[in-house]
Amino acid sequence: MDTLNFPEIPKKDESEDWYYSKRREMQEVLPGIFLGPYSVATKSKLNFLLENGVTHIICIRQDLEANFVKPNFPDNFKYLVLNIADKTTENIIGHFPMVRTFLNECQSTNGKVLIHGNTGISRSAALLIAYVMETYGIAYREAFLYVQQKRFCINPNEGFTQQLMEYEPIYLANYQMKQFNSKEPLGHRASVKRSYEADVEEMQCS
């Protein structure tokens, strides 16, 4: 991985004492990227979000939660709403590219983003772990521990964990493909691209 020249992951601050009520708060895991529960994005929290500089929100829910987990401030923040159930059989990997694009766009405008599901423990954590893996070129376990250091209560379900571990060679292949784009003949470039797309498609269908 070192030869692929990923950016250096931000240094961890000293761990703060974790207490139970912190799971009802949001934590800044990466500069400008917060992870937390829906309770920090309810209708009474507009001023709180604005005071913390939030400009974008990723809202994760399933159909059954749509009546109480929803985008409350469409006029104030840019939203990405994802329909994901917290089930071991749920395919979460197909959402990784959209989340990565949304987060990168937010950061390119010096914005700040909140990622939340209902409790901020499984689905939202899995999406942020995938982003940390792919952005900084690290394995699942290292990314998990990095995010957990900020929000100790995270616990992606077993199905999400398995997909995250399987995603490592996929994102590495994608990164290599991008590096080859400016170095390799067109024919070789196309073959690498087809291989990567086939791997992603297989995982999305599994």
Side-chain angles (χ1 to χ4, degrees):
M1 288 188 194
D2 293 339
T3 61
L4 295 181
N5 299 318
F6 285 95
E8 184 177 355
I9 193 167
K11 300 294 184 184
K12 299 178 184 178
D13 296 330
E14 291 298 321
S15 297
E16 299 178 3
D17 291 336
W18 179 267
Y19 43 88
Y20 183 82
S21 62
K22 276 196 169 186
R23 67 178 53 210
R24 295 193 291 269
E25 303 172 4
M26 68 181 189
Q27 287 78 37
E28 190 171 18
V29 177
L30 289 167
I33 300 180
F34 296 91
L35 177 63
Y38 174 63
S39 59
V40 300
T42 56
K43 289 185 177 180
S44 64
K45 296 294 186 178
L46 177 59
N47 288 337
F48 168 79
L49 294 170
L50 293 174
E51 288 168 1
N52 280 277
V54 173
T55 56
H56 295 61
I57 296 178
I58 299 178
C59 173
I60 304 148
R61 66 190 186 182
Q62 60 176 316
D63 291 339
L64 295 175
E65 299 171 307
N67 288 332
F68 62 90
V69 177
K70 53 190 175 182
N72 290 306
F73 312 108
D75 294 332
N76 300 94
F77 309 109
K78 184 173 182 179
Y79 277 89
L80 173 62
V81 180
L82 301 175
N83 185 6
I84 304 173
D86 189 13
K87 298 179 179 178
T88 58
T89 55
E90 183 81 356
N91 189 321
I92 198 170
I93 195 171
H95 299 281
F96 293 169
M98 187 181 303
V99 169
R100 182 181 67 250
T101 298
F102 189 82
L103 291 175
N104 287 342
E105 288 178 351
C106 173
Q107 295 204 313
S108 71
T109 59
N110 296 317
K112 293 185 178 183
V113 60
L114 165 65
I115 308 173
H116 76 77
N118 187 10
T119 60
I121 291 175
S122 181
R123 294 168 291 186
S124 54
L127 292 173
L128 182 51
I129 289 168
Y131 179 78
V132 172
M133 290 172 61
E134 188 163 9
T135 301
Y136 300 104
I138 60 178
Y140 162 73
R141 187 61 185 169
E142 185 179 351
F144 171 87
L145 292 173
Y146 186 90
V147 177
Q148 187 188 50
Q149 190 263 348
K150 292 291 188 179
R151 184 167 174 79
F152 187 74
C153 61
I154 66 166
N155 187 26
N157 72 48
E158 291 181 3
F160 294 166
T161 297
Q162 184 63 35
Q163 290 179 66
L164 286 163
M165 290 189 292
E166 293 174 354
Y167 189 58
E168 184 178 339
I170 301 300
Y171 85 72
L172 287 172
N174 185 31
Y175 192 86
Q176 289 174 323
M177 181 191 73
K178 290 177 181 177
Q179 285 195 328
F180 291 157
N181 276 344
S182 60
K183 301 177 182 178
E184 297 295 332
L186 180 60
H188 180 72
R189 232 182 290 164
S191 66
V192 174
K193 186 174 188 294
R194 283 195 297 271
S195 176
Y196 165 69
E197 290 175 343
D199 286 343
V200 172
E201 183 177 357
E202 180 180 349
M203 292 190 71
Q204 289 175 340
C205 295
S206 61

